[in-house]
């Protein structure tokens, strides 16, 4: 196998994927080390309200005199927890469901897919909204609400991938050598369907960032005073006249995060698919 | 110059097209120009028509609401108060009234007037109205204020007599008369008033499309000849406040009702801002749920409400501080309490220590409302003295359900004006009623019940002063309803519109509005 065909190599040859990964790494560092990096306590109402960017407060202060930069840095935690948590919940439920449905087929498949259809019938944001109203606000409930909405995609994707490999020779061989059904599913089939699932994890994480911000924008995200980008956007909306830059920064953070995740997803797609570098293909107009 | 037939036909065709285009342009231009003009004309004296934008849901039953934008336009009340916030009664549906020397009854003489339906206003309608107000299931906001009335009798076609349960101060009776709408007996049920008003007010209903528009036309039979000045008023519904303000700025409405304080600075230069009497913002603690079953702990938290900061940062400087549910215009308002029981974190910390209560609670509020930001300020101050207040914003319907089911530990909510009768503190929201309220359930402090009764029975000025002082003492001591600020209603009007006022209940009065 040539060096150029290794997945990591294919990923790193996509400049935008590298940019996305670097941006995401930076974001993770910011979120993890937020207490050390943020110049102020994000909940401290010490400054004058609605100050513009200045030397004392680089991005200004919000309506309660809190430092916007510090809240943005700490807000990254909320977004990343929602992103990773929702992807984990979605994959944690969806992948086994899809695997069972695809491998066992028949009535298991029928029941699993009807459940998935039921979930698909509800718009994701509406499902999350109802769950938050019922369960109450909170970080864990937020992750559950977004994650459960992502289960159908994982389940369907895993099912389709499982259907494609379950009758392949290596699976038949494993069965022929006496491997039990759970053993075949977990050790033989699952590793061979993980490629698209990994990409879906990134897509779900990206979607979760936006949904978390949407719920926070509706006032149903992380309870105050904990900062979240969506919550900051919602608050900033009320003070556009008094502080026009207030809403700009959380909005930019959201855009950049989703951009980074999107680029990582694209890079993973190239890495997993094993195809030639897209730069060598005719341009389709999309950045890679 | 001669023309060939072809040229002639071309010219004729050109002329035809030109003429057609001109005519089409003129036809198209007329509505466009008139639309441009309607921005002026809609607010101009020529048509006497204005369009007001609102985000509030409307209904037509005056018993159901403590404050509303359109109710006063449809109904005449027994008397009016001046819009300057004073309480000099002005005859309205009642031409005159006479109190019995023993303060046990009042005889009301109605003026000759007609309802919008054409039926005459008669004393029997007062009797029916009082009966409905006395019914706890149908009286709604008029139920508690009517408690002092034992019976109502129609003496003759235009005279009604109200007998009281005991000697009652004139001020309380006047406040009741000010709040009592005249409605034909046959229409005075919640079901009949749900979709259509049935009053004798300055405007009649012309068109109502829920969540779209409400159009009112001048009532030609209104008792006050020559009024209202406007021929027509349209209320246009907007889904949210930002859309409403954008509608005002773009000129699609002549005024915006109940706009948020945050818009005041932006609108002040280009529009006339009118402040209505509004309501009061209160911090309520549920005495039936720990840790707020601890009175000293409630007193501690009451000292941690930074009213000045809330006024500055949440209200943008609009409104005044209050220590409990009395407006500064109330005869019971005692400004000394703002000092003796005002914001003092050291005092709060000492009381918290003394209370030996739990150091945490959950506060709820409807998400996206200024109440959340108010709670955030209280939360930050409480944190400084070691009390963790968790804020749990909820969707509005879920929040209201929990509030009225007494399931919330604490919250920030509104309380209506009590006018000149401090005993009316027990009206309106269910957190301050004297029977089975949502903050004490059936364990309403007897001292509070007695103080409200005494305030509603004190007639002599000295007795009133004593009763109001006792009422203040008990509500401050029990500290379950802590006043934060007044929250005036805010209207932004095109500069051509004037005369829009609100009364002391915060009802919009368009009778003398001109445009």
């Amino acid at each position: 196998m040539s060096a150029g065909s290794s997945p990591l190599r294919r990923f790193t040859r996509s400049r935008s994927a590298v940019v996305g990964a670097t941006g995401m790494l930076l974001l993770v560092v910011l979120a993890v080390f937020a207490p050390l990096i943020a110049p102020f306590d994000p909940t401290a109402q010490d400054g004058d309200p609605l100050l513009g960017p200045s030397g004392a407060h680089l991005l200004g202060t919000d309506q309660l005199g809190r430092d916007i930069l510090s809240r943005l840095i700490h807000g990254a935690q909320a977004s990343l927890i929602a992103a990773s948590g929702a992807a984990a919940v979605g994959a944690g439920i969806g992948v086994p469901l899809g695997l069972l449905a695809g491998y066992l087929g028949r009535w298991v498949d029928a029941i699993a897919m009807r459940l998935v259809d039921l979930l698909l019938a509800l718009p994701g944001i509406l499902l999350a909204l109802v769950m938050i109203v019922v369960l109450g606000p909170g970080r864990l409930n937020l992750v559950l609400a977004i994650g459960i909405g992502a289960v159908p995609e994982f389940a369907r994707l895993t099912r389709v991938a499982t259907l494609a490999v379950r009758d392949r020779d290596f699976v038949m061989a494993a069965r022929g050598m006496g491997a039990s059904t759970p053993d075949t599913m977990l050790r033989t089939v699952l590793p061979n369907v993980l490629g698209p699932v990994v990409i879906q994890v990134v897509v779900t994480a990206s979607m979760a960032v936006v949904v978390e911000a949407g719920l926070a924008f509706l006032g149903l995200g992380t309870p105050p005073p904990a900062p979240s980008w969506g919550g900051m956007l919602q608050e900033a909306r009320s003070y556009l006249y008094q502080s026009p830059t207030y809403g700009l920064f959380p909005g930019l953070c959201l855009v950049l995060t989703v951009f980074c995740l999107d680029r990582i997803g694209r890079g993973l797609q190239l890495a997993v698919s094993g195809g030639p570098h897209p730069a060598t293909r005719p341009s389709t107009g999309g950045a890679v | 110059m001669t023309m060939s037939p072809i040229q002639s036909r071309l010219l004729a065709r050109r002329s035809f097209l030109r003429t057609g285009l001109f005519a089409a342009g003129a036809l198209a231009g007329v509505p466009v120009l008139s639309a441009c003009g309607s921005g002026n004309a809609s607010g101009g004296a020529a048509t006497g028509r204005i369009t007001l934008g609102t985000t509030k849901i409307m209904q037509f039953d005056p018993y159901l609401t403590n404050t509303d934008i359109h109710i006063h336009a449809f109904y005449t009340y027994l008397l009016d108060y001046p819009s300057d916030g004073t309480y000099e009664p002005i005859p309205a549906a009642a031409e005159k009234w006479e109190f019995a020397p023993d303060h046990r009854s009042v005889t009301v003489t109605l003026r000759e007037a007609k309802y919008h339906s054409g039926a005459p206003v008669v004393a029997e309608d007062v009797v029916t109205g009082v009966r409905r107000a006395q019914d706890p299931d149908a009286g709604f906001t008029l139920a508690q204020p009517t408690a002092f009335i034992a019976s109502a009798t129609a003496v003759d076609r235009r005279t009604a007599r109200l007998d009281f349960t005991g000697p009652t101060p004139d001020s309380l009776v006047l406040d009741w008369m000010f709040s009592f709408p005249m409605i034909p007996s046959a229409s005075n049920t919640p079901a009949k008033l749900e979709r259509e008003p049935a009053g004798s007010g300055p405007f009649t209903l012309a068109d109502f499309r829920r969540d779209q528009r409400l159009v009112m036309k001048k009532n030609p039979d209104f008792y006050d000849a020559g009024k209202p000045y406007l021929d027509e008023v349209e209320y246009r519904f907007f889904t949210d406040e930002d859309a409403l303000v954008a509608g005002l700025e773009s000129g699609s409405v002549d005024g915006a009702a109940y706009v948020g304080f945050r818009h005041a600075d932006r609108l002040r230069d280009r529009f006339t801002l009118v402040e209505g009497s509004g309501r009061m913002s209160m911090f309520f603690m549920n005495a039936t749920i720990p840790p707020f079953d601890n009175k000293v702990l409630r007193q501690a938290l009451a000292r941690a409400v930074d009213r000045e900061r809330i006024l500055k940062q949440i209200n943008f400087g609009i409104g005044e501080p209050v220590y409990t549910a009395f407006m500064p215009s109330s005869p019971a308002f005692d400004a000394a309490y703002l000092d003796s029981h005002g914001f003092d974190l050291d005092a709060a910390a000492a009381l918290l220590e003394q209370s030996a209560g739990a150091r945490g609670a959950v506060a709820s509020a409807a998400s996206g409302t200024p109440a959340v930001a108010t709670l955030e300020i209280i939360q930050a101050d409480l944190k400084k003295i070691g009390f963790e207040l968790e804020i749990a914003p909820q969707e509005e319907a879920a929040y209201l359900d929990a509030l009225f089911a007494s399931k919330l530990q604490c919250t920030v909510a509104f309380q209506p004006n009590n006018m000149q009768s401090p005993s009316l503190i027990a009206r309106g929201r269910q957190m301050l009623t004297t029977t089975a309220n949502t903050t004490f359930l059936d364990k309403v402090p007897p001292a509070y019940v007695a103080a409200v009764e005494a305030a509603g029975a004190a007639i002599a000025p000295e007795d009133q002063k004593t009763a109001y002082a006792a009422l203040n003492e008990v509500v401050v001591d029990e500290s379950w309803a802590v006043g934060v600020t007044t929250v005036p209603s805010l209207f932004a009007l095109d500069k051509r519109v004037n005369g829009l006022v609100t009364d002391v209940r915060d009802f919009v009065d368009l009778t003398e509005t001109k445009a």
Side-chain angles (χ1 to χ4, degrees):
Chain A
M1 182 185 273
S2 72
S5 65
S6 90
L8 181 64
R9 200 58 180 247
R10 284 198 294 273
F11 183 87
T12 52
R13 284 176 74 176
S14 166
R15 274 172 307 190
S16 69
V18 173
V19 168
T22 310
M24 189 47 62
L25 187 68
L26 186 68
L27 201 66
V28 170
V29 169
L30 278 177
V32 172
F33 297 104
L36 301 175
I37 297 169
F40 295 93
D41 176 350
T43 62
Q45 302 174 1
D46 296 334
D48 285 333
L50 299 173
L51 291 176
S54 66
H57 297 278
L58 288 179
L59 302 184
T61 59
D62 70 4
Q63 75 281 6
L64 297 177
R66 298 173 296 201
D67 183 60
I68 291 176
L69 176 62
S70 303
R71 289 182 69 73
L72 280 180
I73 292 172
H74 281 267
Q77 285 179 344
S79 289
L80 291 187
I81 287 173
S84 52
V89 169
I93 301 172
V95 171
L97 196 67
L99 194 63
L100 283 169
Y103 191 78
L104 299 177
R106 297 199 281 185
W107 63 269
V108 179
D109 187 23
I111 292 175
M113 286 306 105
R114 293 303 76 75
L115 279 173
V116 166
D117 287 345
L118 198 68
L119 279 174
L120 273 176
L122 294 167
I125 185 80
L126 185 65
L127 182 69
L129 203 67
V130 170
M131 286 186 69
I132 290 290
V133 169
V134 172
L135 299 174
R139 202 163 273 182
L140 180 65
N141 293 342
L142 197 67
V143 164
L144 277 177
I146 303 171
I148 287 173
V151 165
E153 285 83 6
F154 281 103
R156 286 195 167 241
L157 196 69
T158 311
R159 176 181 174 269
V160 168
T162 305
L163 285 174
V165 301
R166 76 172 180 185
D167 294 325
R168 298 270 294 272
D169 291 346
F170 63 93
V171 179
M172 302 295 276
R175 278 207 295 253
M177 283 189 287
S180 65
T181 301
D183 191 70
T184 311
M185 281 198 298
L186 288 176
R187 291 183 176 214
T188 310
V189 178
L190 184 61
N192 285 285
V193 300
L194 279 182
V197 170
V198 170
I199 297 167
Q200 184 61 33
V201 165
V202 179
V203 172
T204 302
S206 167
M207 180 270 298
V209 169
V210 176
V211 173
E212 189 272 339
L215 288 172
F217 188 81
L218 295 172
L220 298 171
T222 317
S228 76
W229 295 341
M232 290 175 76
L233 263 182
Q234 193 237 11
E235 288 163 356
R237 177 173 155 261
S238 300
Y239 304 100
L240 279 177
Y241 178 70
Q242 290 87 354
S243 181
T245 55
Y246 180 7
L248 188 67
F249 303 117
L252 275 176
C253 286
L254 277 169
V255 168
L256 289 175
T257 306
V258 173
F259 171 79
C260 289
L261 285 168
D262 179 66
R263 291 299 86 198
I264 292 171
R266 179 69 179 145
L268 284 173
Q269 196 181 3
L270 293 172
V272 170
S273 68
H277 187 271
T280 62
R281 296 182 198 151
S283 171
T284 53
V288 287
Chain B
M1 186 180 167
T2 56
M3 286 185 286
S4 70
I6 293 174
Q7 278 176 319
S8 173
R9 268 205 309 277
L10 279 172
L11 272 179
R13 204 174 291 156
R14 271 187 207 140
S15 302
F16 176 76
L17 281 171
R18 200 179 296 136
T19 310
L21 281 171
F22 180 76
L27 280 172
V30 167
V32 171
L33 287 172
S34 59
C36 293
S38 86
N40 298 327
S42 67
T47 60
R49 180 185 194 281
I50 62 168
T51 303
L52 297 173
T54 181
T55 56
K56 297 268 173 105
I57 296 168
M58 291 183 174
Q59 54 82 33
F60 300 108
D61 188 348
Y63 283 62
L64 272 180
T65 179
N66 276 316
T67 171
D68 228 324
I69 187 170
H70 62 300
I71 288 287
H72 201 288
F74 293 123
Y75 297 94
T76 307
Y77 293 76
L78 285 175
L79 59 86
D80 283 334
Y81 285 139
S83 58
D84 60 4
T86 57
Y87 296 99
E88 188 61 39
I90 302 166
E95 198 170 50
K96 58 182 181 179
W97 52 90
E98 193 177 337
F99 291 101
D102 61 358
H103 298 280
R104 285 178 173 273
S105 69
V106 64
T107 303
V108 178
T109 306
L110 301 174
R111 72 169 74 241
E112 257 327 324
K114 282 198 284 189
Y115 290 110
H116 299 162
S117 62
V121 175
V122 294
E124 193 55 44
D125 300 331
V126 176
V127 176
T128 306
V130 169
R131 277 199 204 115
R132 181 182 166 192
Q134 288 174 322
D135 177 356
D137 295 328
F140 302 112
T141 58
L142 267 177
Q144 191 275 342
T146 308
F148 71 91
I149 298 176
S151 64
T153 317
V155 177
D156 60 35
R157 192 172 146 272
R158 289 204 295 133
T159 311
R161 196 184 70 243
L162 307 175
D163 293 300
F164 309 148
T165 52
T168 305
D170 295 355
S171 55
L172 183 58
V173 181
L174 291 174
D175 280 352
W176 179 86
M177 291 172 68
F178 171 70
S179 308
F180 186 81
M182 290 306 302
I183 302 172
S185 296
S187 303
N188 199 350
T189 65
K192 287 192 174 161
L193 295 174
E194 190 184 346
R195 292 171 192 282
E196 196 174 349
S200 55
F203 290 93
T204 62
L205 179 68
D207 185 27
F208 178 57
R209 292 175 205 178
R210 192 167 292 282
D211 299 334
Q212 290 179 44
R213 67 199 287 254
L214 171 99
V215 181
M216 309 186 299
K217 285 200 183 296
K218 177 178 181 166
N219 174 12
D221 297 324
F222 187 54
Y223 75 83
D224 200 349
K227 293 179 185 172
Y229 297 126
L230 293 171
D231 296 323
E232 189 175 291
V233 177
E234 177 182 347
Y235 284 111
R236 200 172 294 167
F237 293 89
F238 288 80
T239 50
D240 66 65
E241 198 181 288
D242 291 307
L244 169 63
V245 172
L248 175 71
E249 290 181 305
S250 69
S252 66
V253 291
D254 301 309
Y258 304 120
V259 295
F261 297 143
R262 63 193 164 95
H263 299 293
D265 275 351
R266 185 162 104 233
L267 300 176
R268 188 163 278 124
D269 293 339
R270 287 177 297 147
F271 299 93
T272 305
L273 291 187
V274 176
E275 275 183 36
S277 55
R279 301 171 289 172
M280 288 164 282
S281 165
M282 311 277 299
F283 179 53
F284 287 102
M285 289 171 266
N286 191 334
T288 66
I289 304 177
F292 297 120
D293 53 350
N294 182 331
K295 187 168 86 174
V296 182
L297 188 137
R298 294 200 301 268
Q299 290 171 343
L301 266 62
R303 301 300 302 272
V305 178
D306 190 347
R307 297 173 180 87
E308 292 301 332
R309 190 160 163 238
I310 291 166
L311 264 175
K312 184 183 166 195
Q313 296 188 356
I314 311 295
N315 290 18
F316 291 86
I318 298 172
E320 294 172 82
V322 290
Y323 57 90
T324 191
F326 296 126
M327 288 271 193
S329 60
S330 166
F333 185 83
D334 184 350
Y337 276 105
L338 286 171
D339 293 326
S340 64
H341 290 73
F343 177 64
D344 184 340
L345 279 185
D346 292 335
L351 283 165
L352 194 59
E353 194 63 37
Q354 188 191 328
S355 75
R359 296 295 183 105
V362 179
S364 302
S367 57
T369 62
V372 177
T374 302
L375 283 170
E376 280 192 80
I377 288 180
I378 296 172
Q379 178 189 51
D381 286 325
L382 287 176
K383 194 177 177 183
K384 291 176 190 164
I385 59 168
F387 190 94
E388 290 293 332
L389 186 72
E390 187 186 322
I391 302 174
Q394 289 179 283
E395 188 273 329
E396 191 174 9
Y399 164 74
L400 288 175
D401 282 349
L403 176 68
F404 293 131
S406 189
K407 288 179 181 168
L408 303 182
Q409 277 190 305
C410 60
T411 187
V412 167
F414 296 108
Q415 180 72 14
N417 187 0
N418 311 310
M419 297 178 278
Q420 56 174 336
S421 303
S423 64
L424 293 179
I425 188 175
R427 82 181 176 114
R429 289 272 181 182
Q430 298 176 30
M431 286 79 86
L432 281 154
T433 54
T434 50
T435 50
N437 67 34
T438 55
T439 42
F440 283 105
L441 296 179
D442 57 351
K443 294 188 177 65
V444 181
Y448 173 65
V449 179
V452 169
E453 278 177 12
I459 292 168
E462 273 310 306
D463 293 343
Q464 286 183 338
K465 203 172 166 186
T466 308
Y468 300 163
L471 183 55
N472 265 319
E473 203 171 305
V474 71
V475 289
V476 169
D477 179 57
E478 290 290 344
S479 292
W480 82 98
V482 181
V484 183
T485 66
T486 60
V487 184
S489 53
L490 194 64
F491 302 83
L493 304 168
D494 188 292
K495 289 201 182 283
R496 295 180 305 264
V497 180
N498 58 68
L500 183 148
V501 293
T502 69
D503 63 25
V504 293
R505 282 170 307 175
D506 209 30
F507 279 62
V508 174
D509 187 350
L510 295 166
T511 312
E512 299 192 10
T513 305
K514 292 178 180 173

